Amino acid sequence: MKSKINSLAEYFKEYEKSINDPEKFWEGIANEFIWRKKWDKVLEYEFNTPKISWFKNSKLNITENIFERQLDNISNKTAIIWEPNNPEEDVIKISYKELYKKTCQFSNAMESNGVKKGDRVVIYMPMVPEAAIAMLSCARIGAIHSIVFAGFSSNALADRINDCNAKMVLTSDGNFRGTKNIPVKSVVDDALDNCKSVSKVIVLKRTGEKINMINGRDLWWHEVIENQSSEHEAASLDSEDMLFILYTSGSTGKPKGVVHTNAGYMVYTYYSFLNVFQYNKEDIYWCTADIGWITGHSYIVYGPLLAGATTLMFEGVPTFPDAGRFWEIVDKHKVNQFYTAPTAIRALQAYGLEYVKPYSLDSLSVIGSVGEPINEEAWHWYHDNIGKGKCPLVDTWWQTETGGIMISPLAGITPNKPAHASLPLPGIQPVLVDSEGKELEGNNVEGNLCIKFPWPSILRTTYGDHKRCKETYFSTYSNMYFTGDGAKRDHDGYIRILGRVDDVINVSGHRMGTAEVENAINENSKVIESAVVGFPHEIKGQGIYAFAICQKNDNDTVKTLEEEIKLTVRSIIGPIATPETVQIVSGLPKTRSGKIMRRILRKVASKDVSDLGDISTLLNPKVVEDIIKGAGL
Ligand code: WTA
């Protein structure tokens, strides 16, 4: 663990080095890995196109760096501890050696079923070890995985499969979550009615649910691995070959496929994991995210495994069988580093301390937060009651697009300040800019957060649409990556993330585009027009508030229409996008050029209409009154 920073002075020294000579800095870290062929050049980039290559013309395989590089030392060490949804069911522990064999076996099985380098494989699976094995097997072959969170609807799944033209889908018969048994295979079946590219589906038996297997298309996981060798020669991949695509929401309607490539992503997830969590050789590390999100990719699977860590994977939910489940698991497995989301903290805080009290939580040395701004109250509750005041709390700011943690304390090394992501990791050069793109220097400034120099795990493109990548991230400000977040640098020079400045809503740490939800609502034939905004929500951070103009049938009531619209969203996107409130309105506030004034709708949604600003320029000022009345304000 050569590149681990051990003191504040060392952090400043490393940071300085990484800025003065980034290529030399990253080369030093890359040299810890094994390469089939080393690079010609560490970094070549041009932000305006954008065209970014790290470790240019090198050849490698990320799984070779997880397995072959480390097996001599940690062959019997537990790689994955799997905690099932039901605490009565047996825990599974998989050693590095076993994980290696299972990965090889499944790589062979996928190849026998026609998967080749460059093919896209969609993974729609529960939180089981096989999901990680599926990812690693794709990486070993050089197939590109695209994981779709198993809570998305069949429509959303079909859109993603079609966008990347996937050849294979990996799924399970069902998915245990709390008291629910979600029939994921039937969601896949529905999706595939509209996907021509998929020729094979491999199904893991998990719940024993009776499912429909389509002859010639559907295969059982346990059958395809039978008789497959547990050795497999890893493909030699180019540094810039795609490792995975992960769809995420943006300001415009369609989710975009963020692309990460092999070498840079490997180097950065390893480095950031080691340093942010200050992982020690014998530690048990647990990140509660789902592998369907970037946090699961980088900090359940790739980062920890590249660092030879023991990573815990939990199938269930924080409130089953009761709201003490997280803490029970921490004690049961003696978890050292615990990484979760503010929304989970706030939800558990609301259940009360009696669910925390029965557990000692003595093993914890680092606690972490990710996905949305953590408010000070939740920060203190987490720090005092879970970290017992003795664990550093790493508030990690980053994005699907950044691949790894960008701004965060390094546990116990750099300062901890409530609700502040604080300082950038070495190699990361954040800047705050005003609306003209002018850099705001010094402290006590607030602006839009950009990054002015590439880091190894920066996104390379959005799949099939490079122009969109350019427009979304590299065109707002010249020569910078624009994050879409607003931030403040306080008087101490620490960064506090203020939230999105674009039309993205962050619901329980899940990104939703307002246009994406509006498009879904508009699929309901009774809806004429809709507008969606976010509003502050005590547990979820933000909730979705939808305004809709509808054409009523005789037997529709306002209530039935509202319910119908919610159902439409659930079926088009999935339960996570369901609006908290739907308000049926007669019109929407618009400017004379026809643009919806979301500012006004946001005020209504947050139940504060004291200062609406100037509405006299609206096309239809009266409609505002009606909306306010309709909202019961
Ligand atoms: C938000 C999740 C404040 C932010 C890793 C970002 C945060 C978006 C934090 C990315 C944090 C993430 N403090 N806000 N510590 N972490 N965000 O792509 O708005 O699912 O742009 O990646 O979440 O969400 P994504």
Side-chain angles (χ1 to χ4, degrees):
M1 303 198 184
K2 271 209 318 246
S3 33
K4 200 160 136 199
I5 293 170
N6 296 303
S7 68
L8 185 60
E10 206 182 320
Y11 162 75
F12 284 119
K13 208 173 88 204
E14 289 299 301
Y15 190 79
E16 181 96 6
K17 276 204 315 217
S18 76
I19 304 304
N20 292 341
D21 193 347
E23 296 196 36
K24 187 158 168 233
F25 175 82
W26 289 114
E27 185 162 49
I29 293 155
N31 276 330
E32 290 186 38
F33 292 98
I34 52 174
W35 302 83
R36 295 276 183 102
K37 173 180 174 288
K38 285 226 174 157
W39 45 90
D40 299 337
K41 195 158 180 351
V42 176
L43 170 65
E44 205 169 85
Y45 84 104
E46 201 273 288
F47 262 175
N48 289 330
T49 310
K51 171 93 183 94
I52 303 156
S53 324
W54 278 94
F55 310 108
K56 199 169 174 187
N57 292 332
S58 63
K59 300 270 184 227
L60 77 157
N61 191 290
I62 195 168
T63 69
E64 219 165 50
N65 280 289
I66 291 173
F67 298 121
E68 281 87 340
R69 181 175 69 101
Q70 304 189 100
L71 276 179
D72 281 349
N73 300 320
I74 54 170
S75 154
N76 294 322
K77 180 175 177 178
T78 302
I80 297 178
I81 300 178
W82 178 71
E83 170 73 24
N85 177 62
N86 183 344
E88 312 275 294
E89 208 184 314
D90 288 343
V91 166
I92 294 175
K93 292 188 180 174
I94 303 175
S95 71
Y96 270 86
K97 185 76 181 287
E98 287 162 341
L99 187 62
Y100 166 69
K101 287 186 171 171
K102 285 175 190 288
T103 299
C104 287
Q105 207 179 33
F106 196 66
S107 302
N108 287 322
M110 280 208 292
E111 279 181 341
S112 308
N113 282 289
V115 177
K116 293 188 303 295
K117 177 178 172 219
D119 287 341
R120 273 78 59 211
V121 174
V122 163
I123 302 176
Y124 188 76
M125 288 181 77
M127 287 289 289
V128 289
E130 286 80 358
I133 292 165
M135 295 164 80
L136 296 169
S137 301
C138 288
R140 193 149 180 102
I141 298 172
I144 301 160
H145 59 73
S146 183
I147 308 187
V148 178
F149 171 62
F152 277 115
S153 71
S154 59
N155 279 292
L157 174 61
D159 282 350
R160 287 157 175 79
I161 292 172
N162 286 332
D163 190 81
C164 71
N165 249 301
K167 188 171 198 176
M168 179 180 271
V169 175
L170 308 176
T171 189
S172 64
D173 50 356
N175 181 355
F176 289 130
R177 280 181 73 75
T179 53
K180 294 195 204 119
N181 175 355
I182 300 157
V184 274
K185 171 63 164 59
S186 72
V187 179
V188 171
D189 289 341
D190 289 348
L192 292 188
D193 283 345
N194 301 308
C195 304
K196 297 284 152 283
S197 59
V198 174
S199 53
K200 290 270 160 60
V201 178
I202 299 182
V203 187
L204 178 79
K205 192 174 237 136
R206 169 64 189 119
T207 59
E209 204 64 6
K210 207 170 153 8
I211 56 164
N212 186 25
M213 293 289 278
I214 293 180
N215 227 335
R217 187 194 77 181
D218 299 350
L219 305 159
W220 284 109
W221 186 293
H222 58 269
E223 288 176 7
V224 296
I225 58 171
E226 252 173 49
N227 307 322
Q228 292 292 355
S229 157
S230 49
E231 277 174 30
H232 177 276
E233 167 82 13
S236 176
L237 303 175
D238 190 89
S239 51
E240 290 299 333
D241 278 341
M242 288 184 200
L243 174 62
F244 65 85
I245 305 167
L246 183 57
Y247 285 87
T248 188
S249 296
S251 308
T252 48
K254 222 173 103 199
K256 46 187 178 282
V258 168
V259 170
H260 285 289
T261 57
N262 280 282
Y265 180 82
M266 171 178 82
V267 170
Y268 196 76
T269 50
Y270 159 79
Y271 180 76
S272 52
F273 170 74
L274 208 56
N275 280 295
V276 170
F277 298 101
Q278 288 289 304
Y279 184 80
N280 296 309
K281 245 166 73 190
E282 304 304 322
D283 289 347
I284 310 287
Y285 161 88
W286 179 21
C287 165
T288 70
D290 191 282
I291 49 147
W293 312 116
I294 190 69
T295 309
H297 285 61
S298 303
Y299 299 111
I300 294 179
V301 180
Y302 289 112
L305 295 179
L306 284 162
T310 299
T311 177
L312 192 151
M313 206 171 162
F314 173 43
E315 185 185 34
V317 297
T319 49
F320 176 78
D322 65 42
R325 185 69 190 277
F326 273 1
W327 322 129
E328 187 226 308
I329 297 174
V330 167
D331 275 7
K332 178 171 169 186
H333 296 289
K334 307 218 171 347
V335 170
N336 302 101
Q337 289 92 358
F338 175 74
Y339 189 30
T340 195
T343 186
I345 295 161
R346 289 190 297 263
L348 296 175
Q349 179 182 4
Y351 277 92
L353 280 177
E354 65 264 36
Y355 289 98
V356 183
K357 292 231 169 84
Y359 306 102
S360 85
L361 305 177
D362 277 351
S363 57
L364 288 176
S365 60
V366 176
I367 54 176
S369 165
V370 60
E372 52 177 314
I374 179 165
N375 49 308
E376 293 201 22
E377 196 196 341
W379 194 100
H380 284 291
W381 187 86
Y382 189 29
H383 184 259
D384 297 352
N385 298 297
I386 306 305
K388 310 279 188 198
K390 68 176 169 52
C391 299
L393 195 172
V394 292
D395 176 3
T396 65
W397 174 83
W398 60 296
Q399 309 178 297
T400 304
E401 295 86 343
T402 70
I405 298 169
M406 303 284 281
I407 305 178
S408 165
L410 309 184
I413 305 281
T414 61
N416 241 215
K417 185 164 185 171
H420 286 67
S422 78
L423 299 173
L425 266 67
I428 307 305
Q429 302 190 35
V431 284
L432 299 179
V433 298
D434 66 13
S435 51
E436 264 74 64
K438 197 169 123 305
E439 189 172 335
L440 304 167
E441 315 239 6
N443 292 341
N444 263 327
V445 286
E446 194 176 311
N448 287 345
L449 178 62
C450 295
I451 315 288
K452 69 174 177 191
F453 195 83
W455 62 100
S457 61
I458 185 174
L459 88 160
R460 301 302 197 269
T461 187
T462 45
Y463 193 80
D465 192 351
H466 195 64
K467 189 161 155 266
R468 190 163 176 206
C469 174
K470 175 184 160 84
E471 281 166 6
T472 312
Y473 308 105
F474 298 94
S475 298
T476 318
Y477 303 108
S478 166
N479 263 315
M480 290 186 205
Y481 165 82
F482 175 45
T483 64
D485 279 314
K488 182 177 161 178
R489 192 163 42 234
D490 74 2
H491 52 271
D492 293 322
Y494 299 147
I495 291 176
R496 177 173 195 158
I497 306 295
L498 301 170
R500 304 289 302 193
V501 294
D502 54 8
D503 288 325
V504 171
I505 312 177
N506 194 327
V507 185
S508 301
H510 304 147
R511 278 164 68 171
M512 291 288 139
T514 52
E516 187 185 354
V517 183
E518 284 163 9
N519 289 349
I521 292 175
N522 298 346
E523 293 274 317
N524 185 314
S525 57
K526 291 175 190 165
V527 173
I528 297 166
E529 196 180 1
S530 66
V532 162
V533 295
F535 69 97
H537 187 286
E538 240 175 65
I539 304 282
K540 299 179 177 178
Q542 280 189 296
I544 298 176
Y545 195 120
F547 299 85
I549 308 172
C550 294
Q551 186 145 42
K552 280 198 339 192
N553 288 341
D554 289 345
N555 40 10
D556 286 329
T557 64
V558 168
K559 194 96 215 112
T560 58
L561 277 176
E562 289 171 3
E563 283 312 310
E564 228 183 87
I565 289 173
K566 287 185 185 176
L567 272 178
T568 307
V569 178
R570 287 174 78 91
S571 81
I572 304 279
I573 307 178
I576 50 173
T578 314
E580 211 72 28
T581 310
V582 176
Q583 183 181 342
I584 309 297
V585 293
S586 59
L588 292 166
K590 288 193 178 165
T591 61
R592 284 176 206 280
S593 59
K595 231 179 122 201
I596 297 172
M597 290 269 263
R598 286 168 195 280
R599 177 173 62 77
I600 293 173
L601 297 178
R602 275 191 220 111
K603 288 259 177 195
V604 173
S606 56
K607 302 204 179 318
D608 169 21
V609 289
S610 54
D611 176 20
L612 287 181
D614 182 14
I615 57 169
S616 64
T617 58
L618 285 181
L619 194 62
N620 46 357
K622 160 116 194 358
V623 88
V624 177
E625 242 173 76
D626 294 347
I627 292 176
I628 292 174
K629 227 165 66 212
L633 299 173

